Amino acid sequence: MVTSDTAHAGPSLDLLPEHEMIRQTAREFAQKEIAPVAAEFDETGAFPADTIAKMGAMGFMGIEIPEEYGGAGLDTLSYVLALEEICKVDASHGTIMSVNNSLFCHAIYRFGSEEQKRKYLAPVASGKAVGAYSLTEPMSGSDAATMRSRGVREGDEYVINGRKSWVTSGPVANYIVLFTMTAPEKGHKGISAFIIETDRPGFVRGKKEPKLGIRASATSEILFEDYRCPAENMLGEEGQGFKIAMAVLDAGRIGVAAQALGIAEAAYEASLGYAREREAFGRKIGQFQGISFKLADMKTHIEASRLLIYQAALAKERCKETGGRYSLEASMAKLFASETAMFCAHAAVQIHGGIGYSKELPVERYFRDAKITEIYEGTSEIQRLVISRLELGLR
Ligand code: CAA
């Protein structure tokens, strides 16, 4: 049910008490532990290992994973609410959390064998180890099926060679879900997924990317040089990798949407506060329609994003039972929320004027952090492709 309380900048949907509790817990944690260090980590680009470990202890690194595998055993809405609150304070922490939860843990939980779940989920879902996901290559981004890396079976191992790029948490990950070509002649049906242990010979961490935003989330290339992966580390069946990659990205896209919502809300709340306080031409600037109409559009886009995201979370929850797809809901949520984040962050800098451009306030960081949500885990153009193909019945 929607409340009539429009005087505050916070979420306006009634939630169940357990969902309110997780939101409140994440909000308090983010304020207490992340807010004081966010600007510094953004400036240095260092990986925030201590706060990530604390997030693990809080259960934030494997929210939907059952407790028997080291997770918090909560639902998708809980995940989205917690991630939104973390990202409202710092999107870098949110990125690390999102990849750990919805790309690594979700992949292993949904497609892994019982043995793989026990071995790899327990450390990563509990936050004692960091998980990553690696699909992209230097010449294979949106067109993910064209990858050049190779896995060749030799006895009970696969020998993997190739270069992967844009791996979130690549510089620090203990385990990585890797997609590589094991039967190139079969196109996307020749891609297989593997669980990579990064402390084995042949795994090399490449250059760390210097980035515009989410600077404290470490991103790098990773290289495989005759890396011998035990065949038992294959995730799912041989040739099933592309579908696993796509299905897992559906979950990831809900995470990116929640991240975008957090950034948009932070930008909006800062703008609302500034519009109430700052005076120009003898009036509070919120009294000028040039400012107030921007705020109206920001608020409306934020609440519409929230509804799309919560709808996608509920669709994912339903599909846990049915095994169906929620690609449409996930892509719509990601598309709209990420463009909302960019819209709101852009408006926030403009409303703040010069001080919005300064590192004195976090507003310029929201602007830099927002942009990636329109790019990673499928660009806005890819989301439009997915949505339109599904609507036209082309897939
Ligand atoms: N779930 C399950 N199966 C799916 C699926 C999904 N969501 N999407 C597609 N498939 C299946 C199709 O049904 C099809 O199956 P069949 O072979 O049985 O017919 C198969 O996969 C191939 O599908 P398409 O023909 O649609 O594949 P395509 O080559 O046209 O690609 C695409 C579709 C939407 C463009 C896809 O390639 C895509 O999403 N690209 C973007 C990749 C992306 O998001 N990359 C980001 C990587 S992660 C990252 O950013 C880094 C990080 O660390 C966060």
Side-chain angles (χ1 to χ4, degrees), residues 99 103 133 135-136 141-142 144-145 166-168 188-189 242-243 246-247 249-250 253 325 327 376-378 382 385-386 389 395:
V99 168
L103 294 187
Y133 170 103
L135 176 68
T136 304
S142 294
W166 294 108
V167 184
T168 300
H188 75 262
K189 289 190 165 66
F242 190 75
K243 288 191 183 186
M246 291 299 117
L249 276 174
D250 285 341
R253 287 166 185 170
R325 279 175 57 175
S327 312
Y376 65 6
E377 300 193 35
I382 289 294
L385 188 80
V386 170
R389 277 182 177 182
R395 283 291 183 279

Side-chain angles (χ1 to χ4, degrees), residues 260-280:
L261 177 60
I263 298 169
E265 287 180 285
Y268 173 68
E269 289 182 17
S271 303
L272 194 63
Y274 195 68
R276 284 179 174 141
E277 298 300 324
R278 171 76 180 185
E279 290 184 11

Side-chain angles (χ1 to χ4, degrees), residues 172-207:
V172 294
N174 304 88
Y175 306 111
I176 300 176
V177 171
L178 170 79
F179 301 91
T180 190
M181 196 63 96
T182 50
E185 69 287 358
K186 293 185 182 165
H188 75 262
K189 289 190 165 66
I191 294 172
S192 300
F194 295 92
I195 305 167
I196 299 299
E197 297 180 6
T198 60
D199 59 0
R200 292 173 75 101
F203 177 84
V204 180
R205 299 188 204 268
K207 79 174 166 68

Side-chain angles (χ1 to χ4, degrees), residues 72-360:
L74 301 175
D75 62 5
T76 308
L77 191 53
S78 302
Y79 168 54
V80 155
L81 291 165
L83 186 55
E84 178 189 333
E85 291 300 329
I86 299 292
C87 293
K88 214 163 145 179
V89 171
D90 182 38
S92 287
H93 281 79
T95 297
I96 301 160
M97 173 178 166
S98 166
V99 168
N100 207 77
N101 274 271
S102 45
L103 294 187
F104 185 88
C105 290
H106 178 70
I108 308 287
Y109 184 62
R110 179 150 173 212
F111 296 100
S113 65
E114 185 57 31
E115 202 186 340
Q116 289 171 341
K117 287 181 198 173
R118 299 231 169 262
K119 187 166 176 190
Y120 298 109
L121 264 186
V124 178
S126 62
K128 295 188 179 72
V130 176
Y133 170 103
S134 176
L135 176 68
T136 304
E137 297 187 359
M139 294 303 290
S140 167
S142 294
D143 190 3
T146 56
M147 59 183 62
R148 295 179 182 179
S149 66
R150 297 287 183 261
V152 177
R153 182 140 193 170
E154 277 184 19
D156 55 6
E157 293 175 325
Y158 282 83
V159 181
I160 300 175
N161 279 288
R163 179 186 290 263
K164 309 292 283 187
S165 45
W166 294 108
V167 184
T168 300
S169 299
V172 294
N174 304 88
Y175 306 111
I176 300 176
V177 171
L178 170 79
F179 301 91
T180 190
M181 196 63 96
T182 50
E185 69 287 358
K186 293 185 182 165
H188 75 262
K189 289 190 165 66
I191 294 172
S192 300
F194 295 92
I195 305 167
I196 299 299
E197 297 180 6
T198 60
D199 59 0
R200 292 173 75 101
F203 177 84
V204 180
R205 299 188 204 268
K207 79 174 166 68
K208 191 174 158 196
E209 298 294 345
K211 304 193 299 289
L212 173 73
I214 54 162
R215 288 176 36 75
S217 95
T219 310
S220 72
E221 288 197 329
I222 54 173
L223 289 86
F224 292 86
E225 296 172 353
D226 287 332
Y227 178 95
R228 304 189 82 84
C229 182
E232 67 194 27
N233 276 30
M234 182 176 280
L235 187 64
E237 306 285 316
E238 173 139 4
Q240 207 193 350
F242 190 75
K243 288 191 183 186
I244 295 177
M246 291 299 117
V248 170
L249 276 174
D250 285 341
R253 287 166 185 170
I254 299 177
V256 176
Q259 177 183 32
L261 177 60
I263 298 169
E265 287 180 285
Y268 173 68
E269 289 182 17
S271 303
L272 194 63
Y274 195 68
R276 284 179 174 141
E277 298 300 324
R278 171 76 180 185
E279 290 184 11
F281 304 101
R283 280 194 261 170
K284 304 285 185 204
I285 61 168
Q287 291 176 314
F288 293 107
Q289 287 185 347
I291 303 293
S292 65
F293 282 15
K294 274 195 180 67
L295 292 170
D297 288 343
M298 290 162 87
K299 177 70 175 166
T300 306
H301 279 75
I302 285 170
E303 294 307 325
S305 299
R306 186 190 315 286
L307 293 174
L308 283 170
I309 294 167
Y310 293 2
Q311 168 180 271
L314 297 178
K316 180 174 171 225
E317 205 58 43
R318 277 196 305 278
C319 290
K320 285 180 185 167
E321 312 281 317
T322 62
R325 279 175 57 175
Y326 48 91
S327 312
L328 181 67
E329 292 88 344
S331 284
M332 290 193 304
K334 191 210 182 249
L335 173 63
F336 196 80
S338 60
E339 294 192 348
T340 292
M342 205 53 212
F343 168 73
C344 290
H346 182 269
V349 174
Q350 197 65 18
I351 289 169
H352 282 78
I355 192 70
Y357 198 68
S358 162
K359 284 186 183 289
E360 291 293 320

